[in-house]
Every structure is written in C-alpha cells, then in structure tokens.
C-alpha cells in the first residue's frame, strides 16, 4: 500500500507540512503524524489511508510500489531497495 517514508517523501516533493496535507486529505494532524511514525507500511483505518492516497494523487504524486514502473513518467516517489533486499535472504555477499 503506502509506507511512512513515502508519505514524508511525497510531502517534501510537494512542499507541504503535515497540517496542509491533513487539510488536503480531510484528516487530523495527529492522524498524519501517526501514519508518518509507522514503521514500514502505514497502519491505520483503511478509510483514512485511502483519503491520504487520494489527496496525494490529486496533488500529482504517484506512489510507486516495489517492482513497479512509473507509467506516467515524471516525478514519483520510489524507495530504493537495500542490498540485502535486492539479493534476497540467502544471497552471499
């Protein structure tokens, strides 16, 4: 779905603070803060997560998941995999 790091990166690309993102998504600032404090995948009410994703989409952000290509080109938010993720758990260094 979406990770906390992707939310922070998207906000940085848009130049938004948490308050402005909360307003755009129709959520409270504490909700955005909790989402951004998540470890890895954002945990929260599905409705709230969808509101956030829709707000980022309306603002022009494409959230690119693992092994996806940016179909629209231009800016997106992508997290690079670490060497251990790219090589798998059984890979030898």
């Amino acid at each position: 779905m979406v990770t906390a790091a992707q939310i922070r990166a998207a906000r940085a690309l848009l130049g938004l603070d948490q308050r402005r993102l909360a307003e755009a998504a129709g959520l409270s600032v504490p909700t955005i803060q909790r989402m951004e404090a998540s470890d890895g995948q954002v945990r929260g009410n599905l409705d709230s997560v969808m509101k956030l994703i829709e707000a980022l989409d309306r603002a022009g952000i494409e959230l690119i998941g693992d092994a996806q290509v940016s179909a629209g080109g231009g800016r997106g938010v992508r997290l690079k995999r670490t060497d251990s993720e790219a090589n798998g758990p059984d890979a030898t260094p």
Side-chain angles (χ1 to χ4, degrees):
M1 174 103 28
V2 63
T3 66
Q6 284 178 303
I7 297 170
R8 291 188 300 268
R11 276 196 315 104
L13 281 174
L14 296 170
L16 297 178
D17 59 18
Q18 289 177 332
R19 180 188 56 77
R20 289 184 54 209
L21 179 57
E23 290 171 358
L27 300 169
S28 69
V29 173
T31 297
I32 298 296
Q33 291 171 335
R34 279 191 302 276
M35 287 179 173
E36 287 191 3
S38 296
D39 186 25
Q41 292 280 335
V42 169
R43 289 183 291 278
N45 176 306
L46 181 59
D47 183 54
S48 296
V49 174
M50 292 309 298
K51 284 181 179 181
L52 173 69
I53 291 170
E54 290 166 3
L56 292 174
D57 183 61
R58 284 192 307 271
I61 293 293
E62 180 181 1
L63 296 171
I64 304 168
D66 288 338
Q68 288 182 317
V69 176
S70 176
R75 290 185 183 178
V77 176
R78 180 183 297 280
L79 300 175
K80 288 177 118 181
R81 293 188 297 177
T82 63
D83 288 344
S84 62
E85 289 173 327
N87 296 327
D90 297 327
T92 53

